[in-house]
Amino acid sequence: MEIAHSVLLLPETLLFAVVAFITYLIGILAQELSKGFRRAMGISATALAGKVGGWANAVGRAARTLSVPDSSGQQIRSAVKDAVSDRYAERGLPVRASLCFPVDLLEDQLESLSMQLWHKAPDQYHETDRLAAESAFRTGVSLPLLVLGIELGILGPWWVALLFLAAALVLLRQARVLEGERRALLATALSQRLAESQLLAGTVRTLEELNLLQSTGSLEWQVATAIAMEKAGNVDGYDRMIDDAVREVSELVNFSDADWEGQARAYADGATTLLLDHRDPKGADLISRKTDEAISRVKEATQAPQPVDSIDDGLSAEAVLKRVGREAWRRI
């Protein structure tokens, strides 16, 4: 109590400085908790905008900007795609093959490129480090600032809490933008060959060794990419490409034909043969099992009573069967 009383006797400017410094220290200590608060605000803001009306809905829409990707997201995706197409073209692989590469997996690995910049491009590394520090600072301060605002709102005017809430949301938004800028800088470094992804390099190298024909279809390239992911030890990428290969079958089969099942099994058999030729019985078994499951779903969907009535948009019976079959197949 004596310490609190002594603090309150300080001049206002000095008292504000003390409060600001304490807030800064709390922010550093609670940085991980603040990161969770930032993620929670990004998720809950969307739900808030959809469930309440009036002025609260306006607040929800404003807060929802925390969960909406900024322009750097497009820059990241574009730079990563450029890097993928460039590495594929360098090895003489067709564009069709590069389109099968899961670019989102590469985006998730951008953080690992930072240390490469430290050696090859110090200026870019220092810039990414600065952006990371500024983002972390804003994230760390946001939650303590909100707590301080609530306390002041309880002790004084209620609108003080709203001001501090607005300040916390602004800081969270700034942190998100800065993090986006940092990731965009790393993606640009990848596209400019200032850094290299082991996943991308290993995938391209394996695809070149497989020596597939330029005329090879997308289904075979997806299976080949799965083989490359397996060799690179990327389990998520392997499972993803196996699922994508099974989904690709739905784009090749005409579900309005009487022999659509035979078509589907023929395409699946081609995929499993490629996997077995490269000593991957696990992948061949996965595709066979997922194909059987997809065929069962399509039969159930297309044999339902009056399937045409389930889609009332003026399509012919043949078009409805194609759509229903494709949608049922892709529900992996």
Side-chain angles (χ1 to χ4, degrees):
M1 295 296 295
E2 294 181 0
I3 297 177
H5 180 70
S6 300
V7 170
L8 292 176
L9 294 177
L10 293 173
E12 290 185 0
T13 55
L14 185 57
L15 179 60
F16 178 79
V18 170
V19 172
F21 181 68
I22 293 174
T23 301
Y24 170 72
L25 292 179
I26 295 174
I28 294 177
L29 296 174
Q31 185 170 356
E32 291 302 319
L33 187 59
S34 294
K35 289 179 180 178
F37 170 66
R38 169 183 162 186
R39 288 191 295 268
M41 288 302 299
I43 295 172
S44 62
T46 303
L48 174 63
K51 291 183 178 180
V52 297
W55 66 270
N57 194 38
V59 174
R61 285 196 301 271
R64 189 171 52 190
T65 58
L66 292 170
S67 61
V68 176
D70 48 66
S71 59
S72 61
Q74 298 178 353
Q75 183 180 351
I76 293 170
R77 178 57 61 94
S78 177
V80 171
K81 285 184 175 180
D82 289 343
V84 171
S85 60
D86 179 60
R87 303 314 194 271
Y88 273 67
E90 182 184 37
R91 298 285 184 136
L93 297 169
V95 175
R96 186 185 298 109
S98 66
L99 294 177
C100 296
F101 187 90
V103 293
D104 55 320
L105 291 181
L106 197 53
E107 291 176 11
D108 293 339
Q109 296 185 350
L110 288 176
E111 295 298 327
S112 64
L113 306 180
S114 178
M115 293 308 297
Q116 293 186 42
L117 292 181
W118 184 47
H119 295 285
K120 297 181 180 179
D123 291 341
Q124 284 83 349
Y125 171 77
H126 291 313
E127 179 64 12
T128 60
D129 188 57
R130 180 188 68 81
L131 292 171
E134 292 190 9
S135 177
F137 171 76
R138 285 163 173 77
T139 300
V141 167
S142 59
L143 182 57
L145 189 65
L146 177 62
V147 173
L148 179 61
I150 293 174
E151 292 178 350
L152 294 177
I154 294 174
L155 297 175
W158 62 268
W159 51 264
V160 173
L162 291 182
L163 290 179
F164 276 77
L165 171 61
L169 292 176
V170 169
L171 287 174
L172 288 174
R173 177 59 180 172
Q174 289 178 346
R176 178 179 172 81
V177 170
L178 289 169
E179 182 61 24
E181 292 177 1
R182 178 175 181 268
R183 288 174 53 79
L185 189 59
L186 291 172
T188 301
L190 177 65
S191 67
Q192 295 177 349
R193 294 180 177 271
L194 296 176
E196 290 293 339
S197 164
Q198 296 300 318
L199 175 63
L200 177 58
T203 299
V204 172
R205 184 169 56 252
T206 300
L207 291 177
E208 185 182 28
E209 293 171 354
L210 293 178
N211 199 28
L212 298 180
L213 296 176
Q214 292 283 328
S215 59
T216 299
S218 295
L219 174 59
E220 288 77 12
W221 280 118
Q222 286 171 340
V223 173
T225 305
I227 295 172
M229 292 286 175
E230 200 250 349
K231 288 189 176 181
N234 192 302
V235 177
D236 292 337
Y238 176 79
D239 293 339
R240 162 82 171 275
M241 295 313 303
I242 290 293
D243 287 345
D244 285 352
V246 176
R247 290 191 182 96
E248 181 65 20
V249 173
S250 69
E251 302 298 325
L252 304 173
V253 173
N254 186 349
F255 292 100
S256 64
D257 287 349
D259 189 36
W260 66 265
E261 183 178 349
Q263 297 176 31
R265 291 196 181 279
Y267 286 119
D269 288 345
T272 56
T273 298
L274 181 58
L275 288 164
L276 291 173
D277 288 344
H278 292 87
R279 301 176 183 177
D280 188 3
K282 181 185 74 171
D285 180 69
L286 278 173
I287 287 187
S288 296
R289 177 168 54 81
K290 290 176 181 291
T291 297
D292 290 339
E293 293 172 354
I295 288 174
S296 297
R297 289 195 302 271
V298 173
K299 285 182 178 180
E300 181 180 354
T302 56
Q303 292 175 1
Q306 299 179 338
V308 178
D309 296 338
S310 63
I311 304 178
D312 185 18
D313 53 8
L315 295 178
S316 65
E318 180 180 350
V320 169
L321 283 174
K322 290 181 179 179
R323 176 187 289 186
V324 170
R326 186 177 296 111
E327 291 178 352
W329 185 284
R330 296 179 69 86
R331 289 199 301 268
I332 298 176

